[in-house]
Amino acid sequence: MTQHDSHARTALVVVAHHRTDSLTAHTARRAAVRLEAAGYRIDLLDLHAEGFDPRMNMSDQPDWGNREKAYSDEAHAHMQRVLDADVVVAVFPVYWQHVPAILKGWIDRVWNYGFAYGRSRPRLAGKRMLWLGLAGATADDPIVEGMQALLETNLSEGIAYYCGFSHSTVGLLTDAEERPQRVDAEGNLLIGEAVAGAEREAQYTDLDRRAQELVEKFVAEGLVAA
């Protein structure tokens, strides 16, 4: 595997949602447009649309202890897309305070031992990562603070920094559901009335604004670092 041309900036935008008409997919497309406007070439990876299999298999790790092992063709192709990217942006719905299985499986299979970690100098050293997670919880739900902390620990510390990324940001986008939801102290799910009309439009306009601010800040920090 060879590193990409350092003069060509590429953003790998990874979408982890089974519906192309979802708010997650919409947020990913808008992020891609903003990154393209900032001068990045966009490699849009829709894991479901491309039929990515998240299950680890023997051909992905024929010999776990061998850092120079030949990976499966599918894993190798995705590894090259990661290598060719200067930044990686993952957009996903938050499931059980974590990423969906297909995104976790992509990391398991592609960010493999010998490729993403397990070397004195990681192959992904210096790259930058933005995680955009859409959550149904409302902004004032007490669970949000812990959710943010857990995602940062798992995604930034446990994955990105462990693999040598120079920068990782987790953006938690709350209020992603049309019906406000929260769980009370007894574990009961409380679902409010669905927002509609102008109120719904305002809710999603605000989510778009927050997502754009996260992407713009991420882009700006990259310019300063460069």
Side-chain angles (χ1 to χ4, degrees):
M1 294 183 184
T2 57
Q3 285 282 8
H4 64 288
D5 181 355
S6 61
H7 297 293
R9 293 194 305 168
T10 297
L12 176 62
V13 180
V14 185
V15 189
H17 200 287
H18 51 284
R19 295 183 55 140
T20 58
D21 62 348
S22 65
L23 185 58
T24 299
H26 165 79
T27 301
R29 288 190 294 267
R30 286 180 61 89
V33 168
R34 179 64 190 90
L35 288 161
E36 189 172 34
Y40 285 93
R41 182 184 74 83
I42 303 301
D43 179 8
L44 183 62
L45 170 55
D46 186 327
L47 293 171
H48 282 278
E50 295 195 17
F52 181 80
D53 186 348
R55 297 171 298 177
M56 179 75 81
N57 58 70
M58 285 295 295
S59 62
D60 292 326
Q61 288 191 335
D63 180 1
W64 186 87
N66 177 12
R67 294 184 305 181
E68 311 306 326
K69 59 183 172 292
Y71 305 95
S72 66
D73 290 343
E74 185 176 27
H76 188 279
H78 282 265
M79 288 173 181
Q80 192 61 56
R81 292 172 78 169
V82 176
L83 280 178
D84 288 344
D86 297 276
V87 301
V88 180
V89 179
V91 190
F92 57 93
V94 177
Y95 291 166
W96 299 108
Q97 302 201 43
H98 212 300
V99 300
I102 195 166
L103 180 54
K104 180 58 166 61
W106 181 70
I107 293 167
D108 289 345
R109 291 187 63 199
V110 178
W111 299 37
N112 210 316
Y113 175 74
F115 167 67
Y117 69 99
R119 293 180 175 275
S120 57
R121 185 181 188 280
R123 286 188 167 124
L124 308 185
K127 297 183 184 295
R128 303 174 64 249
M129 183 93 199
L130 174 62
W131 311 82
L132 293 177
L134 283 74
T138 57
D140 60 350
D141 191 328
I143 199 174
V144 169
E145 183 177 356
M147 186 185 300
Q148 177 78 41
L150 184 59
L151 288 169
E152 288 178 354
T153 298
N154 286 333
L155 304 180
S156 289
E157 296 180 21
I159 297 175
Y161 292 141
Y162 188 75
C163 293
F165 277 68
S166 62
H167 178 85
S168 177
T169 295
V170 176
L172 182 59
L173 297 166
T174 59
D175 298 286
E177 296 283 353
E178 63 179 17
R179 291 177 178 269
Q181 303 176 17
R182 71 170 61 224
V183 175
D184 66 17
E186 286 73 43
N188 301 307
L189 177 62
L190 308 178
I191 302 179
E193 294 294 325
V195 296
E199 184 181 0
R200 180 175 181 178
E201 183 176 347
Q203 175 182 335
Y204 291 121
T205 296
D206 182 66
L207 190 143
D208 277 344
R209 176 191 59 78
R210 288 180 282 132
Q212 181 172 328
E213 288 178 352
L214 286 165
V215 174
E216 289 181 346
K217 182 179 179 182
F218 180 73
V219 168
E221 290 171 342
L223 294 174
V224 171

